[in-house]
Amino acid sequence: MKTLIDLFVAWFKMGLFTFGGGYAMLPMIQKEVIEKHHWATEEEIMDYYAIGQCTPGIIAVNTATFVGYYQKGFIGGVVATLGVVSPSFIIISLIATLISNFSELAVVQHALMGINVAVCMLMINSIKTLWKKNVKNIASFCIFALALALSILTDVSTVWLVILSGVLGVVLSKVGYLKHD
Amino acid sequence: MTDLLHIIIEFFKTGLFAVGGGLATIPFLTEMAEKYGWFTIEQLSTMIAVSESTPGPIGINMSTYVGFTIHGVLGAILATLSLVAPSIIVISIVANYFQKFKDNKLVKKVFAGIKPAVVAFIVAAVLSLFTKTLLHLDVEATSVLEYFNFKTILILIALLLLNKKFPKVHPILYIVIAAVCGVVFKL
């Protein structure tokens, strides 16, 4: 029971302080899921992200379900997901009822711009950590560069990029350029 | 009553077929607007703007907002639960298999290739946030300097230094500090 409550509270917090998409949640996940509760390692979160990218649904929900499932099975997944969606639910319902011009308010726009700066800072740190752990040699750098170029310059679906990099992983491991452990 | 049933079916479908994050739900919402006349395209763009400026994953914010517009609180609850239901089912099944196969040699090789790509996806996803926050791309500048937003760049440097000094501080605190800075300095 305690784990279920912890799951709900932790994911509620992450939902409440995430601005932007599922990836912007990464600094919060590193703090809450990895450092504080030890529910997953950095590597595992990357696996969940990769799988979440190719499976239906929103990445934040997919990640929450993954983490919850490994703690408390199906119920754990449901509770973590309910946690991460609850803040949205409360805040959006309030705004929809009370303030129709919310996103046009000057104070909201200023606060949001400030928050964007904080998210930039947090993402710089998160990416630095991920970079150190996952881009360690020439082969992994090439996969990184290729995936970055293709996702910025083309409309190719990330699903295909995940499949492509998975194939590259197998090929480069076979010829000894990529280590896995 | 039929509205509620349609909400459940449509959002379940969106959750099942929108692959790759919250923004992938927009085409489905546009289709709903056209098919049922629940809301106009103008209303949808307001909803997207609000969803981007409130906390929480954008996809969840949008489904809650759309559900609320169609049928109040009940509509919001049903829309969001229907949207996340396919994820919960699919991920629970995948998580179960992944646990069994993650120590398999081939699977390890596959994921060794995927991990650097995921770092790239994250960089690509935040790139537009960086340009939007730190540059003025919408102005007609007379010199290169005018393209830089010095206010936000200075605050970013200050936050980076603060974070270097206090690396254990919770990200929430930085978000709150930065929001206050945003209002005070009229960013």
Side-chain angles (χ1 to χ4, degrees):
Chain A
M1 193 61 203
K2 189 177 173 297
T3 315
L4 286 180
I5 296 172
D6 282 348
L7 276 171
F8 186 87
V9 172
W11 284 98
F12 187 95
K13 246 167 64 186
M14 289 185 262
L16 187 58
F17 286 96
T18 295
F19 288 81
Y23 287 132
M25 194 173 258
L26 194 61
M28 302 288 280
I29 291 180
Q30 282 170 329
K31 190 80 196 174
E32 289 286 325
V33 174
I34 300 173
E35 281 177 34
K36 194 168 155 196
H37 293 288
H38 308 291
W39 284 328
T41 63
E42 209 95 38
E43 281 75 25
E44 284 164 341
I45 293 294
M46 295 300 273
D47 293 343
Y48 304 164
Y49 265 3
I51 296 169
Q53 192 68 252
C54 309
T55 46
I58 287 153
I59 295 182
V61 170
N62 291 349
T63 316
T65 307
F66 248 119
V67 172
Y69 185 90
Y70 285 140
Q71 290 311 310
K72 283 278 159 192
F74 185 73
I75 296 294
V78 172
V79 168
T81 300
L82 288 180
V84 81
V85 304
S86 295
S88 298
F89 181 74
I90 298 165
I91 293 167
I92 294 285
S93 300
L94 282 176
I95 289 177
T97 324
L98 302 173
I99 334 167
S100 55
N101 60 342
F102 177 80
S103 56
E104 288 148 35
L105 298 175
V107 65
V108 171
Q109 288 182 346
H110 292 319
L112 204 62
M113 198 57 171
I115 289 170
N116 283 344
V117 180
V119 177
C120 286
M121 182 277 280
L122 296 169
M123 289 309 290
I124 289 175
N125 285 331
S126 295
I127 290 170
K128 249 200 297 195
T129 312
L130 293 183
W131 177 273
K132 271 187 215 145
K133 288 199 171 150
N134 298 290
V135 189
K136 288 185 206 162
N137 46 38
I138 303 280
S140 50
F141 178 78
C142 289
I143 295 176
F144 167 83
L146 181 69
L148 183 65
L150 288 175
S151 42
I152 293 175
L153 303 173
T154 69
D155 286 336
V156 183
S157 158
T158 16
V159 179
W160 291 111
L161 297 180
V162 170
I163 294 171
L164 173 70
S165 52
V167 172
L168 282 175
V170 175
V171 174
L172 292 172
S173 302
K174 278 242 155 63
V175 292
Y177 282 111
L178 197 64
K179 270 203 187 118
H180 56 87
D181 37 28
Chain B
M1 196 58 211
T2 45
D3 256 5
L4 294 180
L5 200 63
H6 284 306
I7 291 177
I8 295 174
I9 295 169
E10 289 296 330
F11 278 91
F12 191 87
K13 234 166 65 182
T14 307
L16 191 57
F17 293 110
V19 178
L23 293 177
T25 58
I26 293 176
F28 291 88
L29 298 176
T30 313
E31 201 193 297
M32 275 182 228
E34 284 161 2
K35 193 167 161 194
Y36 296 97
W38 281 331
F39 44 88
T40 62
I41 299 296
E42 288 76 52
Q43 273 177 299
L44 183 62
S45 52
T46 309
M47 292 192 250
I48 295 171
V50 172
S51 300
E52 283 177 335
S53 48
T54 45
I58 295 175
I60 298 297
N61 289 348
M62 284 201 292
S63 65
T64 307
Y65 209 147
V66 169
F68 193 90
T69 310
I70 306 169
H71 213 284
V73 174
L74 189 59
I77 294 178
L78 286 179
T80 305
L81 290 185
S82 310
L83 183 85
V84 301
S87 289
I88 295 179
I89 297 167
V90 172
I91 294 292
S92 296
I93 296 168
V94 173
N96 189 24
Y97 279 102
F98 185 63
Q99 206 162 25
K100 285 179 193 148
F101 292 110
K102 72 174 178 193
D103 293 326
N104 175 294
K105 269 217 167 103
L106 183 68
V107 174
K108 278 194 164 173
K109 285 175 187 163
V110 169
F111 275 90
I114 293 176
K115 277 173 188 155
V118 175
V119 181
F121 301 151
I122 296 172
V123 173
V126 295
L127 217 53
S128 65
L129 174 78
F130 276 83
T131 52
K132 185 174 79 182
T133 309
L134 306 174
L135 303 174
H136 290 298
L137 292 176
D138 48 347
V139 294
E140 293 241 348
T142 45
S143 81
V144 184
L145 283 178
E146 285 177 46
Y147 285 117
F148 293 98
N149 187 340
F150 287 106
K151 270 193 202 171
T152 52
I153 292 173
L154 280 176
I155 293 177
L156 176 66
I157 293 170
L159 286 177
L160 279 168
L161 291 173
L162 204 62
N163 182 251
K164 211 174 171 105
K165 193 138 188 43
F166 306 101
K168 289 277 160 217
V169 169
H170 203 289
I172 292 174
L173 193 65
Y174 288 108
I175 303 232
V176 174
I177 293 173
V180 174
C181 281
V183 174
V184 171
F185 298 114
K186 291 203 179 352
L187 293 180

